[in-house]
Amino acid sequence: MNGMAFGGGCELAMLCDFVIAGADAKFGQPEILLGGIPGDGGTQRLPRKLGPNVATFMLMTGEPIDAHRAKELGLIVEVCEPSDTVGRAIEIASRISKRAPAAIQAIKACVGVAIGATAENGLAFERDAISKLAMTEDSREGMLAFSEKRAPVFKGK
């Protein structure tokens, strides 16, 4: 993310699994300045990402935060030079693409449940996902590769 992510742009960033941002990035929900509120989940996602105090402040004042503050609050995971943002994101995506697809899907599902569930329900969902993953070819390949001290070759099965 480079530049301004205001309104829908900020809401789109909150839908991402994680965000890498250039040092020039700013995030905000300025709808209040027009007499409105975010219309695509901003009032729901911002408190979950930043906590209710910071989110309420941003939503009620319309004031944005810069990339360094966004990282400090957990909205983004890394700040880099704006010219390096896309390359860095591709580098991370490439690393993730080498992981077992079913495990990536399970992590996304577990994190999604964790956000809106009790710890007990989230842990039960996680245990179920682990059991299902253990039955996949990729899981067996990962364990075999580990024992053979080699890089795994995942096939998405």
Side-chain angles (χ1 to χ4, degrees):
M1 196 352 257
N2 285 322
M4 294 187 302
F6 289 177
C10 186
E11 289 167 322
L12 185 58
M14 287 187 283
L15 289 171
C16 297
D17 292 322
F18 54 86
V19 177
I20 308 299
D24 66 340
K26 292 188 186 298
F27 300 84
Q29 298 289 166
E31 292 85 351
I32 192 72
L33 303 175
L34 303 174
I37 66 171
D40 197 18
T43 64
Q44 300 306 298
R45 291 184 188 94
L46 203 62
R48 287 179 171 87
K49 293 278 188 177
L50 305 182
N53 289 336
V54 174
T56 301
F57 177 81
M58 287 178 66
L59 291 165
M60 289 184 173
T61 65
E63 293 182 19
I65 57 174
D66 66 21
H68 294 286
R69 180 76 170 133
K71 182 177 184 298
E72 178 183 298
L73 295 169
L75 182 59
I76 65 174
V77 297
E78 188 175 311
V79 179
C80 58
E81 289 300 318
S83 60
D84 297 337
T85 306
V86 173
R88 180 68 178 133
I90 290 170
E91 177 185 327
I92 293 167
S94 176
R95 189 176 342 146
I96 293 169
S97 74
K98 292 176 176 71
R99 308 300 190 246
I104 295 293
Q105 291 171 348
I107 287 168
K108 287 179 59 107
C110 288
V111 170
V113 168
I115 291 169
T118 64
E120 182 179 344
N121 290 344
L123 288 169
F125 188 88
E126 180 182 83
R127 279 187 224 102
D128 184 55
I130 289 168
S131 294
K132 288 176 182 172
L133 277 173
M135 305 304 285
T136 67
E137 288 181 31
D138 280 348
S139 178
R140 288 188 290 278
E141 165 62 11
M143 296 305 257
L144 182 62
F146 178 79
S147 69
E148 294 175 352
K149 297 181 178 20
R150 62 174 174 80
V153 179
F154 296 121
K155 297 178 182 170
K157 297 179 182 181

